[in-house]
């Protein structure tokens, strides 16, 4: 294939100057047949060819920090992505170290950056069993007091960002794995199962337009856990509890994508719900000498393409968020020793085969 650099300079000149108008050899292609330049970013391709589907990334410690890696991160962020999710800064513990203190500084900067760069921002997360502050988990709250804390939190945080976010993860990971009973979180123990419904109603009261999501992992394919979430949301829809979408986290293992993801997405969509892939990463074995094998990275690349393609195919799906930019900044190796390299960029911000595969999909190749 012809190298873009061989004919690109001619685009700035007249055709005649490039040999196109004088009867000599035609070395300039007409503009409408010039192939996609490889420099088109994921964002550019998505916005021109698939405007329904936003491409997001979780932003954490590298956001506006004073080091070289942060500068690389901040350059790539608005070039390649048109959505972001604060990875930790909106969680109950980091956001609210005491009952009286709401520390919005970092999350505000992320949301402001998104707005300034015409990117969407997802709110993650209002109600979860992890990353809660000691004052909350150690307190001896009555049910009424716990309800008051839950509702004051949601009113303050959702109200703070009213009109600025594309979506909120209102409740995260309420179900256990396996037979999928409700998880015995601080909220379940102090309030009971109606904490979920109360959270959605409080969020809607604080922002009438933001899309409200239930978010979880291991609910991407058919199974006991996605059945439980399906039944919860079917009941909410039937009773008018305000829920707009289901977030499928998609923390996957290369070569092990759920085979029934399309059917599962279709049944949630049939309830009238939107779908977002909210925390995509696809891990590979990294313990071999030299790190991840080329074969595992090729499988990972195909899997990334498959997940993005599902979102392009299912009309109800309007966003895919990858859970971090580089392999060096992912939660995966710390949680799954011997596994990692789960993202689109390697530790040095080089695009991986997974990046190329997603770009090829978006470009129609
Ligand atoms: O910021 C502190 C730092 O001040 C301190 O020195 C350091 C010492 O451990 O901890 C830092 O906080 C860590 C934080 O990430 C920021 O790096 C926490 O310990 C660590 O637990 C936290 O991990 C996050 C994890 O959620 C918490 O469970 C990961 O970054 C984040 O990627 C992960 O994301 C979750 C989603 O929210 C929900 N779905 C699952 C997903 C993966 O676990």
């Amino acid at each position: 294939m012809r190298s873009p650099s061989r004919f690109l300079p001619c685009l700035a000149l007249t055709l005649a100057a490039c040999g196109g108008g004088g009867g000599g050899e035609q070395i300039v292609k007409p503009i409408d047949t010039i192939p996609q330049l490889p420099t088109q970013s994921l964002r550019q391709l998505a916005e021109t060819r698939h405007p329904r589907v936003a491409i997001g990334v979780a932003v954490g410690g590298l956001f506006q920090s004073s080091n070289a890696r942060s500068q690389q991160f901040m350059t790539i962020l608005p070039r390649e992505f048109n959505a972001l999710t604060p990875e930790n800064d909106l969680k109950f513990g980091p956001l609210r170290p005491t009952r009286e203190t709401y520390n919005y500084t970092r999350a505000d900067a992320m949301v402001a950056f998104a707005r300034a760069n015409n990117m969407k921002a997802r709110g993650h997360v209002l109600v979860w069993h992890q990353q809660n502050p000691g004052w909350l988990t150690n307190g001896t709250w009555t049910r009424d007091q716990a309800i008051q804390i839950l509702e004051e939190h949601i009113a303050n945080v959702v109200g703070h960002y009213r009109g600025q976010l594309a979506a909120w993860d209102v409740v995260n990971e309420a179900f256990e794995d396996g037979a999928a009973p409700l998880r015995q979180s601080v909220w379940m123990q102090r309030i009971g199962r109606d904490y979920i419904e109360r959270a959605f109603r409080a969020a809607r009261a604080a922002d009438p337009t933001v899309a409200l999501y239930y978010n979880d992992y291991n609910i991407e394919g058919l199974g006991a856990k996605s059945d439980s979430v399906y039944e919860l949301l079917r009941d909410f829809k039937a009773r008018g509890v305000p829920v707009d979408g289901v977030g499928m986290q998609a923390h996957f293992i290369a070569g092990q994508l759920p085979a029934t993801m399309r059917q599962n997405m279709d049944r949630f969509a049939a309830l009238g719900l939107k779908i977002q892939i909210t925390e995509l990463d696809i891990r590979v074995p990294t313990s071999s000498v030299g790190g991840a094998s080329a074969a595992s990275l090729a499988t990972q690349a195909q899997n990334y393409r498959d997940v993005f393609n599902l979102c392009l195919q299912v009309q109800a799906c309007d966003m895919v968020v990858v859970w971090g930019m580089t392999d060096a900044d992912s939660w995966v190796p710390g949680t799954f020793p011997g596994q990692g390299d789960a993202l689109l960029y390697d530790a040095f911000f080089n695009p991986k085969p997974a990046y190329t595969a997603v770009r090829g999909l978006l470009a129609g190749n």
Side-chain angles (χ1 to χ4, degrees), residues 219-299:
I219 62 162
E220 297 81 8
L222 297 174
K225 191 168 178 180
S226 66
D227 285 352
S228 293
V229 173
Y230 178 84
E231 182 50 34
L232 175 87
L233 301 185
R234 190 203 58 72
D235 174 59
F236 278 11
K237 277 293 194 186
R239 291 191 297 110
V241 179
V243 58
D244 300 300
V246 58
M248 300 180 175
Q249 293 185 8
H251 295 294
F252 288 140
I253 298 171
Q256 298 183 31
L257 254 51
T260 52
M261 211 168 150
R262 175 66 197 255
Q263 292 153 264
N264 196 39
M265 291 170 85
D266 284 346
R267 71 170 172 163
F268 279 102
L271 291 177
L273 293 167
K274 305 290 276 183
I275 298 167
Q276 294 183 341
I277 305 296
T278 51
E279 305 180 16
L280 177 62
D281 49 36
I282 305 178
R283 55 190 187 266
V284 299
T286 52
S287 50
S288 59
V289 177
S293 68
S296 67
L297 293 176
T299 302

Side-chain angles (χ1 to χ4, degrees), residues 87-88 91 124 128 130-131 172-173 249 251 279 323 331:
E87 186 173 354
N88 288 296
K91 292 171 178 173
H124 175 80
W128 192 26
Q130 282 189 33
Q131 278 177 294
N172 192 38
E173 302 172 9
Q249 293 185 8
H251 295 294
E279 305 180 16
W323 205 238
W331 70 290

Side-chain angles (χ1 to χ4, degrees), residues 160-209:
H160 183 84
Y161 292 108
R162 183 180 167 118
Q164 298 184 55
L165 303 183
W168 263 113
D169 289 332
V170 178
V171 175
N172 192 38
E173 302 172 9
F175 292 94
E176 298 277 7
D177 285 320
L182 281 171
R183 195 187 290 277
Q184 287 301 315
S185 67
V186 60
W187 304 112
M188 184 67 179
Q189 288 175 340
R190 304 282 156 75
I191 297 175
R193 62 175 299 132
D194 60 317
Y195 85 87
I196 304 175
E197 176 174 345
R198 287 177 181 277
F200 277 93
R201 291 191 188 281
R204 176 54 73 236
D207 186 338
T209 58

